[in-house]
Amino acid sequence: MTTLVSITDTVTRDALAVLQPGFTGTTAPDWLRRRVGEGLASVGLFGRNIESPEQLAALTAQLRAERDDVLVAIDEEGGDVTRLEVRNGSSFPGNNALGFVDDIDLTRAVARELGRRLAECGVNLNWAPSADVNSNPGNPVIGVRSFGADTALVARHTAAYVEGLQAAGVAACTKHFPGHGDTAVDSHHAMPRIDVDLDTLHARELVPFRAAIAAGSKSVMSAHILLPALDPNRPATLSPQILTGLLRQELGYDGLIVTDGMEMDAIAGTYGIERGSVLAIAAGADAICVGGGLADEETVLRLRDALVAAVRSGELPEERLADAAARVRALASWTQRARGVASGPGADMQEGTAPGAGADSGIGLVAARRAVKVTGGSAGPLTGPAYVAAFTPVANIAVGDETPWGVAEELARLVPGTGTDTYGDGTQAATDQVLKAAGDRRIVAVVRDAHRHAWMGEALDALVAARPDTVVVEMGLPKAPPRGALHIATHGAARVCGIAAAEAITGVRDV
């Protein structure tokens, strides 16, 4: 591919430095290693890049052989959004579970242990935590990724999470600025719009970000959302009023500003990733996240050359690009100094080894158990084989559909003879199928955000009417009325949440 300038050119090196691309495979491809050696300062990891902690450590070592201070970023929120444990489910509950418990020491300890594990694998930048106030319970993309709907609660747990993660030597990236919690549209698919006034934004959305800044968050991620009260024309990621005027000047933030994924349709479908990247850097962003769906050398070169061309045409001031690159390199230097700072996860809160999957339970299972809310129980705990019916909605892109969730595996371990199947939208047919498949076994119906899916609620009502002893496990936001003889809310679908739910259903805890 023909490039605009020599790779030795300072502007070109700065353009490479502000990119955070992804790639395919579980080893670093030659093109990526070459670009890191030429000035690429960051790399983004996704579930497709990870098979095991040992493999991940080898991968990051490959990258550091080219550049010792390279930023290796990951979208590891714990809970429903996990890349480190994408194949089995997370050892840590997500934000909503931590917010339900509302113990900031616990949140800090969970984040620190998660950070310690990331640091051991060579990851030094985590695109977390989500500081969004989930004020819209119908939000299709945030939900259990938020600490909750209470502004003050979200703020204190965001600060604790930032402190815990960074105590482990991993830079936090607080997201999605200036707040994605009141949206009804997923920005992976279209442009969300939040029509609230400035007073509401300052009293609700911005409070957790102020807390994150006060806690020293090393980076902040922008949201692809339109907020007419702040900028009627451009989404936050591309808005000078929001990134420079509000975040930099008004809130006094001096760390790294990272964009959300530029290939998301809110940007790619309206501006295109090249134009969007130029506008984002010009608006005040410092790093361009791309690679969730676009993960090749051609994308990196296209974006690099678009930035260089914008500087040469005068559209993007050279000093703005240089400032962005300098902020990326400054964070890389911080991670170098912080490497090895991580200490233990708080041994006083450990409980031993989790049953099932052979994973360390530790602080994650402690938190998941505390986050379980049980309603009812008149039919008593499960004592014989059960039939688990998992009512499965379409997963949002941030969560992905490759990570297993539910309670079936753990229940089958605790109660031999337990069976399971998965059901989608189709109320009466699904109900009839469940009743037939269950036979005499007690039914355990597992749902995720039943309040957002009318077909789930109808299916649960039909099952409970036919089988009053039905157990219902809600692994999303527990906004629908409790149903069933026993109703269990886990506040998330991490693997440890499934373990904690199975323990509550059976009354058995064998560790």
Side-chain angles (χ1 to χ4, degrees), residues 1-20 34-42 67 281 286 299-312 316-319 321-322 324-326 328-329:
M1 181 175 179
T2 302
T3 58
L4 293 173
V5 288
S6 166
I7 199 66
T8 61
D9 183 88
T10 300
V11 173
T12 306
R13 290 184 66 83
D14 285 348
L16 268 179
V18 303
L19 302 179
Q20 291 189 348
R34 183 170 64 254
R35 299 302 173 187
V36 169
E38 292 171 349
L40 185 69
S42 308
R67 181 188 181 114
I281 297 295
D286 305 307
T299 298
V300 172
L301 297 180
R302 282 167 52 202
L303 296 182
R304 182 199 67 181
D305 290 352
L307 292 167
V308 171
V311 170
R312 297 204 158 196
L316 175 62
E318 183 175 347
E319 58 271 22
L321 179 61
V328 173
R329 294 174 185 132

Side-chain angles (χ1 to χ4, degrees), residues 21-27 44-51 55 83 86-87 263 290-296 402:
F23 61 96
T24 58
T26 54
T27 60
L45 299 179
F46 298 86
R48 63 180 179 240
N49 303 124
I50 300 169
E51 290 180 342
Q55 168 269 324
R83 311 304 180 218
V86 66
R87 288 168 176 77
E263 68 270 38
V290 64
L294 298 171
D296 53 54
E402 68 268 44

Side-chain angles (χ1 to χ4, degrees), residues 83-300:
R83 311 304 180 218
L84 194 61
E85 299 181 274
V86 66
R87 288 168 176 77
N88 298 311
S90 182
S91 300
F92 304 92
N95 284 5
N96 196 252
L98 296 172
F100 175 76
V101 177
D102 195 13
D103 179 343
I104 60 171
D105 291 332
L106 179 67
T107 295
R108 189 180 294 109
V110 166
R112 185 166 185 165
E113 172 62 4
L114 178 58
R116 185 188 67 80
R117 296 191 190 186
L118 290 173
E120 282 187 346
C121 295
V123 177
N124 54 12
L125 171 59
N126 191 10
W127 294 321
S130 168
D132 307 297
V133 179
N134 200 61
S135 54
N136 180 0
N139 193 315
V141 68
I142 302 300
V144 294
R145 300 169 65 197
S146 167
F147 288 110
D150 180 86
T151 299
L153 179 146
V154 174
R156 62 179 174 264
H157 285 276
T158 296
Y161 197 105
V162 167
E163 292 165 355
L165 192 63
Q166 294 187 169
V170 175
C173 185
T174 306
K175 61 188 183 185
H176 306 81
F177 185 83
H180 211 309
D182 195 23
T183 59
V185 173
D186 184 345
S187 51
H188 289 88
H189 302 299
M191 182 76 75
R193 178 185 175 109
I194 300 180
D195 288 301
V196 298
D197 57 31
L198 285 175
D199 287 344
T200 301
L201 287 170
H202 280 275
R204 187 179 65 188
E205 270 73 19
L206 296 181
V207 174
F209 289 97
R210 290 182 185 273
I213 292 168
S217 184
K218 294 297 178 181
S219 61
V220 168
M221 178 176 282
S222 66
H224 305 327
I225 56 177
L226 191 67
L227 298 101
L230 295 171
D231 187 334
N233 300 312
R234 289 184 179 175
T237 294
L238 311 184
S239 171
Q241 294 96 309
I242 294 175
L243 297 189
T244 299
L246 177 59
L247 183 53
R248 289 281 187 226
Q249 296 172 359
E250 186 174 342
L251 299 187
Y253 182 65
D254 194 41
L256 188 77
I257 300 176
V258 183
T259 72
D260 207 344
M262 297 300 284
E263 68 270 38
M264 294 163 65
D265 277 349
I267 299 297
T270 52
Y271 296 88
I273 62 168
E274 293 97 332
R275 176 72 176 155
S277 296
V278 169
L279 292 175
I281 297 295
D286 305 307
I288 301 296
C289 175
V290 64
L294 298 171
D296 53 54
E297 184 177 22
E298 181 182 356
T299 298
V300 172

